[in-house]
């Protein structure tokens, strides 16, 4: 079935560093969503992208909808300890009646 | 605070027992979803409902059933629990299909 490939699977960085992660698909997506999940909690929506080439920011987070519509990128600038968590990309799978499929996540750990 | 409430937060259950996980939302969202989250497999859709009175099967529906008698509630039932259903279960809702979903904090279920 349709899959979203997220990379990297995990990152271990120093506080203050910038972070980049991406998500790719074999199919064209019309929407890309980025979620963050803290330990013991449900995923929380960070950014939603609706148009190819769109660049959207939410504080220190910036996400881009790839021009091919088959990928998306999430950047975090000047990371802080509370950025720790798992970041998921998601989008409505083609022919899915609007149901989302999720990448397997990028686990971010930050050294203080 | 508006959102999604899941109950119970955690449960240990003997194999063969019947169990219903509850999910209630107060955002008047039309669409609701049930996912399971397993290590290394990400979030997988079990069942969904695009509007009250209708339900559909997701990626991993076997062994689970749902009902949607009204807009707010979307219970998930395991008719006869098996150990492979040990997982963290998340309920989500969205205003409609193709729109970003909002998640509850999950139910951690262990089947022994």
């Amino acid at each position: 079935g349709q899959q979203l490939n997220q990379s990297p699977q995990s990152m271990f960085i120093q506080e203050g560093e910038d972070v980049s992660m991406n998500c790719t698909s074999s199919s064209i997506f019309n929407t890309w969503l980025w979620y963050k999940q803290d330990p013991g909690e449900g995923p929380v929506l960070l950014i939603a992208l609706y148009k190819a080439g769109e660049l959207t920011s939410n504080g220190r987070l910036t996400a881009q909808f790839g021009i091919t519509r088959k990928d998306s990128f999430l950047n975090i600038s000047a990371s802080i300890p509370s950025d720790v968590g798992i970041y998921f990309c998601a989008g409505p799978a083609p022919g899915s009646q609007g149901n989302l499929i999720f990448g397997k996540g990028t686990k971010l750990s930050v050294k203080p | 605070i508006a959102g999604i409430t899941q109950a119970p937060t955690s449960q240990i259950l003997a194999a063969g027992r019947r169990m219903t996980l509850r999910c209630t939302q107060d955002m008047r969202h039309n669409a609701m979803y049930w996912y399971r989250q397993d290590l290394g497999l990400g979030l997988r859709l079990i069942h969904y409902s695009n509007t009250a009175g209708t339900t559909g099967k997701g990626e991993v529906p076997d062994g689970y059933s749902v009902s949607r008698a009204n807009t707010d509630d979307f219970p998930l039932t395991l008719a006869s629990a098996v150990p492979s259903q040990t997982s963290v279960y998340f309920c989500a809702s969205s205003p409609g299909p193709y729109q970003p979903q909002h998640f509850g904090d999950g139910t951690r279920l262990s089947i022994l």
Side-chain angles (χ1 to χ4, degrees), chain B residues 36-65:
Chain B
R36 60 179 290 173
Q37 186 175 33
D38 303 291
L39 199 62
L41 296 176
L43 286 154
R44 293 182 293 167
L45 182 66
I46 304 170
H47 285 287
Y48 67 94
S49 168
N50 285 338
T51 190
T54 69
T55 62
K57 292 181 180 180
E59 180 185 355
V60 288
D62 294 343
Y64 306 95
S65 63

PDB file of all heavy atoms in Angstrom, chain B residues 36-65:
ATOM      1  N   ARG B  36      -4.146   2.590  15.772  1.00  0.00           N
ATOM      2  CA  ARG B  36      -3.275   1.937  16.738  1.00  0.00           C
ATOM      3  C   ARG B  36      -1.838   2.327  16.416  1.00  0.00           C
ATOM      4  O   ARG B  36      -1.473   2.522  15.245  1.00  0.00           O
ATOM      5  CB  ARG B  36      -3.446   0.418  16.758  1.00  0.00           C
ATOM      6  CG  ARG B  36      -3.173  -0.313  15.484  1.00  0.00           C
ATOM      7  CD  ARG B  36      -3.356  -1.828  15.662  1.00  0.00           C
ATOM      8  NE  ARG B  36      -2.294  -2.404  16.491  1.00  0.00           N
ATOM      9  CZ  ARG B  36      -2.288  -3.677  16.912  1.00  0.00           C
ATOM     10  NH1 ARG B  36      -3.275  -4.492  16.575  1.00  0.00           N
ATOM     11  NH2 ARG B  36      -1.291  -4.136  17.651  1.00  0.00           N
ATOM     12  N   GLN B  37      -1.046   2.482  17.469  1.00  0.00           N
ATOM     13  CA  GLN B  37       0.351   2.863  17.294  1.00  0.00           C
ATOM     14  C   GLN B  37       1.236   1.806  17.914  1.00  0.00           C
ATOM     15  O   GLN B  37       1.161   1.536  19.108  1.00  0.00           O
ATOM     16  CB  GLN B  37       0.642   4.219  17.950  1.00  0.00           C
ATOM     17  CG  GLN B  37       2.045   4.732  17.660  1.00  0.00           C
ATOM     18  CD  GLN B  37       2.296   6.122  18.213  1.00  0.00           C
ATOM     19  OE1 GLN B  37       1.768   6.501  19.256  1.00  0.00           O
ATOM     20  NE2 GLN B  37       3.089   6.914  17.499  1.00  0.00           N
ATOM     21  N   ASP B  38       2.072   1.211  17.101  1.00  0.00           N
ATOM     22  CA  ASP B  38       2.991   0.162  17.523  1.00  0.00           C
ATOM     23  C   ASP B  38       4.403   0.570  17.147  1.00  0.00           C
ATOM     24  O   ASP B  38       4.629   1.175  16.102  1.00  0.00           O
ATOM     25  CB  ASP B  38       2.625  -1.164  16.850  1.00  0.00           C
ATOM     26  CG  ASP B  38       1.193  -1.577  17.154  1.00  0.00           C
ATOM     27  OD1 ASP B  38       0.929  -1.920  18.302  1.00  0.00           O
ATOM     28  OD2 ASP B  38       0.352  -1.549  16.231  1.00  0.00           O
ATOM     29  N   LEU B  39       5.349   0.169  18.001  1.00  0.00           N
ATOM     30  CA  LEU B  39       6.742   0.543  17.792  1.00  0.00           C
ATOM     31  C   LEU B  39       7.207   0.077  16.413  1.00  0.00           C
ATOM     32  O   LEU B  39       7.030  -1.088  16.050  1.00  0.00           O
ATOM     33  CB  LEU B  39       7.590  -0.105  18.885  1.00  0.00           C
ATOM     34  CG  LEU B  39       8.966   0.515  19.116  1.00  0.00           C
ATOM     35  CD1 LEU B  39       8.826   1.958  19.553  1.00  0.00           C
ATOM     36  CD2 LEU B  39       9.721  -0.288  20.167  1.00  0.00           C
ATOM     37  N   GLY B  40       7.781   1.004  15.664  1.00  0.00           N
ATOM     38  CA  GLY B  40       8.310   0.653  14.348  1.00  0.00           C
ATOM     39  C   GLY B  40       7.292   0.631  13.233  1.00  0.00           C
ATOM     40  O   GLY B  40       7.667   0.548  12.059  1.00  0.00           O
ATOM     41  N   LEU B  41       6.013   0.718  13.583  1.00  0.00           N
ATOM     42  CA  LEU B  41       4.967   0.642  12.556  1.00  0.00           C
ATOM     43  C   LEU B  41       4.193   1.947  12.424  1.00  0.00           C
ATOM     44  O   LEU B  41       3.351   2.076  11.542  1.00  0.00           O
ATOM     45  CB  LEU B  41       4.001  -0.494  12.865  1.00  0.00           C
ATOM     46  CG  LEU B  41       4.601  -1.898  12.844  1.00  0.00           C
ATOM     47  CD1 LEU B  41       3.565  -2.928  13.251  1.00  0.00           C
ATOM     48  CD2 LEU B  41       5.155  -2.231  11.451  1.00  0.00           C
ATOM     49  N   GLY B  42       4.440   2.878  13.309  1.00  0.00           N
ATOM     50  CA  GLY B  42       3.752   4.164  13.216  1.00  0.00           C
ATOM     51  C   GLY B  42       2.277   4.060  13.554  1.00  0.00           C
ATOM     52  O   GLY B  42       1.833   3.140  14.238  1.00  0.00           O
ATOM     53  N   LEU B  43       1.499   4.987  13.040  1.00  0.00           N
ATOM     54  CA  LEU B  43       0.053   5.040  13.272  1.00  0.00           C
ATOM     55  C   LEU B  43      -0.665   4.355  12.118  1.00  0.00           C
ATOM     56  O   LEU B  43      -0.447   4.692  10.961  1.00  0.00           O
ATOM     57  CB  LEU B  43      -0.406   6.495  13.351  1.00  0.00           C
ATOM     58  CG  LEU B  43      -0.037   7.229  14.628  1.00  0.00           C
ATOM     59  CD1 LEU B  43       0.065   8.714  14.395  1.00  0.00           C
ATOM     60  CD2 LEU B  43      -1.068   6.934  15.709  1.00  0.00           C
ATOM     61  N   ARG B  44      -1.523   3.406  12.455  1.00  0.00           N
ATOM     62  CA  ARG B  44      -2.275   2.698  11.411  1.00  0.00           C
ATOM     63  C   ARG B  44      -3.776   2.830  11.684  1.00  0.00           C
ATOM     64  O   ARG B  44      -4.227   2.635  12.807  1.00  0.00           O
ATOM     65  CB  ARG B  44      -1.867   1.221  11.375  1.00  0.00           C
ATOM     66  CG  ARG B  44      -0.427   1.001  10.917  1.00  0.00           C
ATOM     67  CD  ARG B  44      -0.082  -0.476  10.857  1.00  0.00           C
ATOM     68  NE  ARG B  44      -0.072  -1.093  12.175  1.00  0.00           N
ATOM     69  CZ  ARG B  44      -0.051  -2.406  12.403  1.00  0.00           C
ATOM     70  NH1 ARG B  44      -0.043  -3.241  11.379  1.00  0.00           N
ATOM     71  NH2 ARG B  44      -0.026  -2.876  13.627  1.00  0.00           N
ATOM     72  N   LEU B  45      -4.506   3.157  10.643  1.00  0.00           N
ATOM     73  CA  LEU B  45      -5.936   3.413  10.772  1.00  0.00           C
ATOM     74  C   LEU B  45      -6.708   2.099  10.912  1.00  0.00           C
ATOM     75  O   LEU B  45      -6.545   1.178  10.107  1.00  0.00           O
ATOM     76  CB  LEU B  45      -6.422   4.187   9.542  1.00  0.00           C
ATOM     77  CG  LEU B  45      -7.883   4.593   9.517  1.00  0.00           C
ATOM     78  CD1 LEU B  45      -8.174   5.621  10.612  1.00  0.00           C
ATOM     79  CD2 LEU B  45      -8.253   5.169   8.147  1.00  0.00           C
ATOM     80  N   ILE B  46      -7.566   2.045  11.925  1.00  0.00           N
ATOM     81  CA  ILE B  46      -8.369   0.851  12.166  1.00  0.00           C
ATOM     82  C   ILE B  46      -9.746   0.999  11.505  1.00  0.00           C
ATOM     83  O   ILE B  46     -10.147   0.203  10.661  1.00  0.00           O
ATOM     84  CB  ILE B  46      -8.556   0.599  13.676  1.00  0.00           C
ATOM     85  CG1 ILE B  46      -7.196   0.495  14.377  1.00  0.00           C
ATOM     86  CG2 ILE B  46      -9.371  -0.677  13.911  1.00  0.00           C
ATOM     87  CD1 ILE B  46      -7.296   0.480  15.896  1.00  0.00           C
ATOM     88  N   HIS B  47     -10.487   2.012  11.934  1.00  0.00           N
ATOM     89  CA  HIS B  47     -11.790   2.328  11.367  1.00  0.00           C
ATOM     90  C   HIS B  47     -11.957   3.842  11.358  1.00  0.00           C
ATOM     91  O   HIS B  47     -11.287   4.557  12.096  1.00  0.00           O
ATOM     92  CB  HIS B  47     -12.930   1.731  12.202  1.00  0.00           C
ATOM     93  CG  HIS B  47     -13.121   0.260  12.045  1.00  0.00           C
ATOM     94  ND1 HIS B  47     -13.664  -0.316  10.905  1.00  0.00           N
ATOM     95  CD2 HIS B  47     -12.857  -0.758  12.904  1.00  0.00           C
ATOM     96  CE1 HIS B  47     -13.721  -1.626  11.078  1.00  0.00           C
ATOM     97  NE2 HIS B  47     -13.239  -1.925  12.272  1.00  0.00           N
ATOM     98  N   TYR B  48     -12.878   4.298  10.535  1.00  0.00           N
ATOM     99  CA  TYR B  48     -13.174   5.720  10.481  1.00  0.00           C
ATOM    100  C   TYR B  48     -14.664   5.926  10.275  1.00  0.00           C
ATOM    101  O   TYR B  48     -15.405   4.997   9.926  1.00  0.00           O
ATOM    102  CB  TYR B  48     -12.377   6.412   9.368  1.00  0.00           C
ATOM    103  CG  TYR B  48     -12.780   5.988   7.973  1.00  0.00           C
ATOM    104  CD1 TYR B  48     -13.711   6.703   7.244  1.00  0.00           C
ATOM    105  CD2 TYR B  48     -12.210   4.857   7.390  1.00  0.00           C
ATOM    106  CE1 TYR B  48     -14.080   6.301   5.967  1.00  0.00           C
ATOM    107  CE2 TYR B  48     -12.571   4.441   6.125  1.00  0.00           C
ATOM    108  CZ  TYR B  48     -13.505   5.160   5.414  1.00  0.00           C
ATOM    109  OH  TYR B  48     -13.873   4.753   4.149  1.00  0.00           O
ATOM    110  N   SER B  49     -15.072   7.181  10.511  1.00  0.00           N
ATOM    111  CA  SER B  49     -16.464   7.565  10.266  1.00  0.00           C
ATOM    112  C   SER B  49     -16.466   8.988   9.736  1.00  0.00           C
ATOM    113  O   SER B  49     -15.998   9.893  10.416  1.00  0.00           O
ATOM    114  CB  SER B  49     -17.268   7.493  11.568  1.00  0.00           C
ATOM    115  OG  SER B  49     -18.523   8.116  11.410  1.00  0.00           O
ATOM    116  N   ASN B  50     -16.955   9.176   8.541  1.00  0.00           N
ATOM    117  CA  ASN B  50     -16.960  10.518   7.946  1.00  0.00           C
ATOM    118  C   ASN B  50     -18.127  11.380   8.412  1.00  0.00           C
ATOM    119  O   ASN B  50     -18.096  12.610   8.273  1.00  0.00           O
ATOM    120  CB  ASN B  50     -16.968  10.422   6.417  1.00  0.00           C
ATOM    121  CG  ASN B  50     -15.609  10.037   5.866  1.00  0.00           C
ATOM    122  OD1 ASN B  50     -14.585  10.234   6.532  1.00  0.00           O
ATOM    123  ND2 ASN B  50     -15.577   9.482   4.670  1.00  0.00           N
ATOM    124  N   THR B  51     -19.147  10.715   8.961  1.00  0.00           N
ATOM    125  CA  THR B  51     -20.278  11.453   9.516  1.00  0.00           C
ATOM    126  C   THR B  51     -21.096  10.509  10.379  1.00  0.00           C
ATOM    127  O   THR B  51     -20.991   9.280  10.220  1.00  0.00           O
ATOM    128  CB  THR B  51     -21.137  12.058   8.390  1.00  0.00           C
ATOM    129  OG1 THR B  51     -22.100  12.961   8.950  1.00  0.00           O
ATOM    130  CG2 THR B  51     -21.863  10.991   7.608  1.00  0.00           C
ATOM    131  N   ALA B  52     -21.868  11.064  11.282  1.00  0.00           N
ATOM    132  CA  ALA B  52     -22.675  10.217  12.171  1.00  0.00           C
ATOM    133  C   ALA B  52     -23.544   9.283  11.345  1.00  0.00           C
ATOM    134  O   ALA B  52     -24.146   9.682  10.345  1.00  0.00           O
ATOM    135  CB  ALA B  52     -23.543  11.084  13.069  1.00  0.00           C
ATOM    136  N   GLY B  53     -23.578   8.011  11.775  1.00  0.00           N
ATOM    137  CA  GLY B  53     -24.388   7.014  11.084  1.00  0.00           C
ATOM    138  C   GLY B  53     -23.640   6.213  10.044  1.00  0.00           C
ATOM    139  O   GLY B  53     -24.181   5.236   9.506  1.00  0.00           O
ATOM    140  N   THR B  54     -22.395   6.610   9.729  1.00  0.00           N
ATOM    141  CA  THR B  54     -21.605   5.875   8.731  1.00  0.00           C
ATOM    142  C   THR B  54     -20.248   5.494   9.305  1.00  0.00           C
ATOM    143  O   THR B  54     -19.692   6.219  10.132  1.00  0.00           O
ATOM    144  CB  THR B  54     -21.364   6.706   7.458  1.00  0.00           C
ATOM    145  OG1 THR B  54     -20.469   7.785   7.763  1.00  0.00           O
ATOM    146  CG2 THR B  54     -22.661   7.272   6.910  1.00  0.00           C
ATOM    147  N   THR B  55     -19.722   4.341   8.894  1.00  0.00           N
ATOM    148  CA  THR B  55     -18.385   3.923   9.300  1.00  0.00           C
ATOM    149  C   THR B  55     -17.702   3.260   8.122  1.00  0.00           C
ATOM    150  O   THR B  55     -18.363   2.833   7.159  1.00  0.00           O
ATOM    151  CB  THR B  55     -18.407   2.939  10.477  1.00  0.00           C
ATOM    152  OG1 THR B  55     -19.104   1.748  10.092  1.00  0.00           O
ATOM    153  CG2 THR B  55     -19.089   3.549  11.704  1.00  0.00           C
ATOM    154  N   GLY B  56     -16.368   3.181   8.199  1.00  0.00           N
ATOM    155  CA  GLY B  56     -15.610   2.528   7.141  1.00  0.00           C
ATOM    156  C   GLY B  56     -14.397   1.834   7.724  1.00  0.00           C
ATOM    157  O   GLY B  56     -13.976   2.135   8.840  1.00  0.00           O
ATOM    158  N   LYS B  57     -13.846   0.896   6.960  1.00  0.00           N
ATOM    159  CA  LYS B  57     -12.679   0.135   7.411  1.00  0.00           C
ATOM    160  C   LYS B  57     -11.403   0.832   6.985  1.00  0.00           C
ATOM    161  O   LYS B  57     -11.298   1.329   5.857  1.00  0.00           O
ATOM    162  CB  LYS B  57     -12.713  -1.277   6.813  1.00  0.00           C
ATOM    163  CG  LYS B  57     -13.842  -2.131   7.344  1.00  0.00           C
ATOM    164  CD  LYS B  57     -13.808  -3.528   6.738  1.00  0.00           C
ATOM    165  CE  LYS B  57     -14.952  -4.365   7.281  1.00  0.00           C
ATOM    166  NZ  LYS B  57     -14.949  -5.734   6.696  1.00  0.00           N
ATOM    167  N   GLY B  58     -10.433   0.817   7.892  1.00  0.00           N
ATOM    168  CA  GLY B  58      -9.132   1.362   7.587  1.00  0.00           C
ATOM    169  C   GLY B  58      -8.172   0.274   7.157  1.00  0.00           C
ATOM    170  O   GLY B  58      -8.565  -0.737   6.564  1.00  0.00           O
ATOM    171  N   GLU B  59      -6.904   0.473   7.498  1.00  0.00           N
ATOM    172  CA  GLU B  59      -5.839  -0.446   7.073  1.00  0.00           C
ATOM    173  C   GLU B  59      -5.846  -1.759   7.860  1.00  0.00           C
ATOM    174  O   GLU B  59      -5.542  -2.821   7.304  1.00  0.00           O
ATOM    175  CB  GLU B  59      -4.490   0.257   7.257  1.00  0.00           C
ATOM    176  CG  GLU B  59      -3.270  -0.555   6.866  1.00  0.00           C
ATOM    177  CD  GLU B  59      -1.968   0.169   7.194  1.00  0.00           C
ATOM    178  OE1 GLU B  59      -2.002   1.332   7.644  1.00  0.00           O
ATOM    179  OE2 GLU B  59      -0.898  -0.455   7.013  1.00  0.00           O
ATOM    180  N   VAL B  60      -6.204  -1.700   9.151  1.00  0.00           N
ATOM    181  CA  VAL B  60      -6.124  -2.879  10.012  1.00  0.00           C
ATOM    182  C   VAL B  60      -7.421  -3.077  10.809  1.00  0.00           C
ATOM    183  O   VAL B  60      -7.437  -3.016  12.029  1.00  0.00           O
ATOM    184  CB  VAL B  60      -4.905  -2.798  10.970  1.00  0.00           C
ATOM    185  CG1 VAL B  60      -3.609  -2.992  10.222  1.00  0.00           C
ATOM    186  CG2 VAL B  60      -4.887  -1.463  11.723  1.00  0.00           C
ATOM    187  N   PRO B  61      -8.546  -3.377  10.150  1.00  0.00           N
ATOM    188  CA  PRO B  61      -9.837  -3.430  10.841  1.00  0.00           C
ATOM    189  C   PRO B  61     -10.170  -4.750  11.536  1.00  0.00           C
ATOM    190  O   PRO B  61     -11.078  -4.785  12.379  1.00  0.00           O
ATOM    191  CB  PRO B  61     -10.825  -3.203   9.693  1.00  0.00           C
ATOM    192  CG  PRO B  61     -10.134  -3.829   8.505  1.00  0.00           C
ATOM    193  CD  PRO B  61      -8.662  -3.560   8.709  1.00  0.00           C
ATOM    194  N   ASP B  62      -9.447  -5.832  11.195  1.00  0.00           N
ATOM    195  CA  ASP B  62      -9.849  -7.150  11.691  1.00  0.00           C
ATOM    196  C   ASP B  62      -9.744  -7.234  13.208  1.00  0.00           C
ATOM    197  O   ASP B  62      -8.727  -6.881  13.806  1.00  0.00           O
ATOM    198  CB  ASP B  62      -8.985  -8.239  11.035  1.00  0.00           C
ATOM    199  CG  ASP B  62      -9.246  -8.336   9.544  1.00  0.00           C
ATOM    200  OD1 ASP B  62     -10.288  -7.821   9.085  1.00  0.00           O
ATOM    201  OD2 ASP B  62      -8.413  -8.934   8.846  1.00  0.00           O
ATOM    202  N   GLY B  63     -10.820  -7.754  13.826  1.00  0.00           N
ATOM    203  CA  GLY B  63     -10.859  -7.911  15.275  1.00  0.00           C
ATOM    204  C   GLY B  63     -11.437  -6.716  16.006  1.00  0.00           C
ATOM    205  O   GLY B  63     -11.567  -6.738  17.227  1.00  0.00           O
ATOM    206  N   TYR B  64     -11.793  -5.670  15.245  1.00  0.00           N
ATOM    207  CA  TYR B  64     -12.325  -4.442  15.833  1.00  0.00           C
ATOM    208  C   TYR B  64     -13.662  -4.086  15.173  1.00  0.00           C
ATOM    209  O   TYR B  64     -13.865  -4.340  13.993  1.00  0.00           O
ATOM    210  CB  TYR B  64     -11.378  -3.272  15.617  1.00  0.00           C
ATOM    211  CG  TYR B  64      -9.969  -3.465  16.078  1.00  0.00           C
ATOM    212  CD1 TYR B  64      -8.985  -3.897  15.203  1.00  0.00           C
ATOM    213  CD2 TYR B  64      -9.605  -3.194  17.393  1.00  0.00           C
ATOM    214  CE1 TYR B  64      -7.675  -4.073  15.608  1.00  0.00           C
ATOM    215  CE2 TYR B  64      -8.291  -3.356  17.817  1.00  0.00           C
ATOM    216  CZ  TYR B  64      -7.337  -3.802  16.913  1.00  0.00           C
ATOM    217  OH  TYR B  64      -6.040  -3.964  17.336  1.00  0.00           O
ATOM    218  N   SER B  65     -14.519  -3.442  15.946  1.00  0.00           N
ATOM    219  CA  SER B  65     -15.743  -2.889  15.377  1.00  0.00           C
ATOM    220  C   SER B  65     -15.985  -1.515  15.975  1.00  0.00           C
ATOM    221  O   SER B  65     -15.488  -1.194  17.062  1.00  0.00           O
ATOM    222  CB  SER B  65     -16.953  -3.792  15.639  1.00  0.00           C
ATOM    223  OG  SER B  65     -17.198  -3.897  17.024  1.00  0.00           O
TER     224      SER B  65
END
